[in-house]
Amino acid sequence: MPGSLAAINAVNAANADPGSVESADQRTGTRLPAVPQAHLVPPSDARELSKLFFARLRELPEGSAGHQYARNTLIEMNMALVRFAARGFRSRTGAGAGAGAEMEDVLQAGTIGLIKAIDRFDPDRGVEFSTLALPYVTGEIKRHFRDTTWAVRVPRRLQELRIELARTRDDLSATLGRSPTVKEIAQHLRLDEETVIEGLVAANGYSTETLDTPAQADEPSPSGRRTHALSETAGQNDPAMELFEDLHSVGPLVKELPERDRTILYLRFGQELTQAEIGTELGISQMQVSRLLSSILTRLRAGMLAA
């Protein structure tokens, strides 16, 4: 394999060139090995080489030839991560004549995520680069599909307006503390209300799914695991809704508790402190906290059952 670590070391040892990429920078000390075909480096070798390149990347001045070489080589050596993540989205690219072009777009989106991961990676944290990189790569690919996939044919101007409307609604909701009206959105974007309404209606055509769609279309199912269609889960109890109902019921009961009891609940479930940490905070023993917490939860449980 032309890109194997052994081959790279052998070539660099036999052809040591004082005029290599890094030697021009007298402040950087040791030189990085030349990797002429970085995209052919096997994943196992890429992991070892990446550690060396990441360590040196932090020392090289940003914008220098050495920094650019190290960064570009890291991108090429780790493209296997992008290809691995992209395989999970093959069902979305189809199998027609345009599937190849669509997959190329997916790979480009994934590469953006890879570059972001390289720029943010800190080798001192003791985390494998792939652990950080895959969420970035997958996130960019998903963003690509969110921004480009439409279930029905919509004019380009309305596709672009959808993004502006979504951003404006988020901004105004944060400012106003409620959902903005059509008039408020139109004034913010300096558009007439009819255009805003047209954009909101068109946004409904951005994504639709049939009841036969797998519940996790973009996640490859492990071998032997059945993939459920949406029709099989529609109408079932939603655990999140049950939790909301429980919280809605327990809210008034918590308000009736003494201040110290409410503080204990907040520290335990809001701040996620241990019983020992709560005891230190309140100046009581861990055993006292345990008894108080048990008593509080018993009262709340009894109150919910009586409601």
Side-chain angles (χ1 to χ4, degrees), residues 92-197:
R92 293 194 180 189
T93 59
E102 289 185 39
M103 179 54 70
E104 185 63 29
D105 290 341
V106 170
L107 291 173
Q108 290 181 8
T111 302
I112 294 174
L114 176 64
I115 294 171
K116 289 182 177 180
I118 289 173
D119 291 340
R120 290 164 173 76
F121 182 64
D122 183 357
D124 290 341
R125 293 186 176 180
V127 178
E128 284 290 335
F129 173 65
S130 59
T131 303
L132 172 77
L134 280 175
Y136 276 98
V137 173
T138 303
E140 287 298 328
I141 292 176
K142 289 182 177 180
R143 184 174 293 110
H144 162 75
F145 282 110
R146 285 199 302 269
D147 293 344
T148 61
T149 303
W150 288 79
V152 296
R153 180 62 182 170
V154 174
R156 180 67 181 177
R157 65 180 181 84
L158 293 180
Q159 294 183 27
E160 295 174 350
L161 179 58
R162 180 193 70 84
I163 299 174
E164 287 297 320
L165 288 173
R167 185 181 298 115
T168 299
R169 290 175 75 174
D170 289 343
D171 291 344
L172 290 177
S173 295
T175 302
L176 301 172
R178 57 173 173 79
S179 297
T181 63
V182 170
K183 182 177 181 180
E184 289 168 338
I185 294 174
Q187 291 176 343
H188 186 82
L189 292 175
R190 297 181 181 179
L191 298 172
D192 57 78
E193 294 184 28
E194 290 185 3
T195 301
V196 172
I197 294 173

Side-chain angles (χ1 to χ4, degrees), residues 22 26 84 192 232 298:
E22 276 197 71
Q26 300 300 322
F84 172 79
D192 57 78
E232 298 180 52
T298 298

